[in-house]
């Protein structure tokens, strides 16, 4: 029964570490498991033995007074290759929209981008920062001091621009109803059948 309890605790610890994705303090994990923190190394040993037996590339590793789910060193070249492939993947329409908004209005906050797009854009902005197309440009001096974003030199390189001045001009949008005005000017007025 003791072994079954340890295996269950190891599965819970694994789920917590995976979901957090960053180091989790030992005390917090122990609290979640309802155990004394001194029992945690045995729980993590159980988890790591399971990984070893399965030939997994994952390990639970201690980092000071925390634990983190990590990959084994031997898999580093594959992870690096996958990350490079992600960086070279084509940009989505959402990413292009965000880049356009930032390029023409920078520096801007995530909330400005979301206001223009009408949709949550946090993950798109974060991806563009990871791909080094956007970067933080400091914090605005307004309540909450939100982070502002701007394009990078890598953005200029990728889009073959020497400066932001090389961006094409934005199209001039006609106000609603402008087409009706144009068509009315082309319609003959006061025509009669007798002419």
């Amino acid at each position: 029964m003791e072994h079954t309890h340890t295996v269950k605790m190891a599965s819970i610890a694994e789920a917590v570490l995976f979901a957090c994705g960053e180091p989790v303090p030992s005390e917090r994990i122990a609290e979640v498991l309802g155990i004394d923190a001194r029992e945690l190394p045995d729980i993590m040993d159980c988890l790591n033995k399971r990984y070893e037996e399965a030939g997994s590339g994952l390990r639970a590793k201690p980092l000071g007074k925390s634990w983190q789910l990590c990959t084994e060193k031997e898999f580093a070249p594959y992870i690096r290759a996958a990350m490079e492939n992600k960086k070279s993947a084509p940009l989505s329409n959402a990413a292009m929209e965000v880049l356009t908004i930032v390029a023409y209005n920078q520096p801007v906050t995530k909330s400005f981008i979301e206001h223009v797009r009408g949709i949550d854009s946090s993950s798109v902005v974060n991806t563009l920062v990871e791909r080094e197309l956007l970067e933080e440009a400091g914090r605005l001096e307004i309540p909450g001091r939100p982070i502002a974003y701007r394009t990078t030199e890598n953005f200029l390189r990728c889009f073959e621009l020497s400066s932001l001045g090389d961006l094409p001009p934005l199209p001039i949008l006609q106000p609603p109803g402008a087409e009706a005005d144009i068509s009315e000017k082309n319609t003959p007025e006061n025509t009669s059948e007798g002419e």
Side-chain angles (χ1 to χ4, degrees):
M1 186 68 178
E2 183 65 30
H3 177 71
T4 305
H5 177 71
T6 302
V7 169
K8 175 75 172 170
M9 293 291 112
S11 294
I12 295 169
E14 175 184 40
V16 168
L17 293 174
F18 177 81
C20 290
E22 56 188 28
V24 181
S26 300
E27 291 293 330
R28 189 177 316 155
I29 299 170
E31 182 182 330
V32 168
L33 297 176
I35 62 171
D36 188 288
R38 291 174 292 191
E39 298 175 58
L40 200 53
D42 292 337
I43 302 288
M44 295 304 184
D45 283 345
C46 175
L47 179 58
N48 282 327
K49 283 179 187 168
R50 188 187 317 163
Y51 286 146
E52 287 172 27
E53 289 169 5
S56 174
L58 299 177
R59 295 293 182 273
K61 297 192 177 186
L63 300 169
K65 294 183 178 183
S66 298
W67 288 84
Q68 183 169 14
L69 204 54
C70 301
T71 56
E72 290 285 70
K73 287 181 185 177
E74 65 187 276
F75 299 107
Y78 304 103
I79 295 166
R80 200 171 300 114
M83 297 303 276
E84 286 303 317
N85 287 342
K86 181 181 175 186
K87 282 187 177 180
S88 62
L91 293 172
S92 67
N93 288 340
M96 292 300 288
E97 286 177 8
V98 169
L99 279 175
T100 302
I101 293 165
V102 176
Y104 284 96
N105 300 285
Q106 59 189 309
V108 297
T109 62
K110 283 182 185 177
S111 63
F112 177 85
I113 296 166
E114 290 167 359
H115 176 74
V116 173
R117 292 189 70 224
I119 189 169
D120 178 57
S121 302
S122 293
S123 64
V124 179
V125 170
N126 293 341
T127 299
L128 291 170
V129 169
E130 285 174 18
R131 292 179 72 167
E132 299 175 356
L133 294 170
L134 294 182
E135 65 185 2
E136 291 184 11
R139 292 187 177 269
L140 297 183
E141 294 298 326
I142 60 174
R145 301 202 61 228
I147 297 171
Y149 293 88
R150 65 180 170 221
T151 55
T152 63
E153 287 185 12
N154 190 43
F155 165 82
L156 295 174
R157 266 193 306 277
C158 289
F159 288 90
E160 299 178 3
L161 302 169
S162 57
S163 73
L164 292 173
D166 293 340
L167 285 169
L170 287 172
I172 298 171
L173 300 176
Q174 296 292 327
E179 292 173 11
D181 292 345
I182 293 169
S183 61
E184 287 175 14
K185 290 176 184 172
N186 295 333
T187 305
E189 296 179 10
N190 301 322
T191 59
S192 64
E193 292 178 21
E195 292 181 25

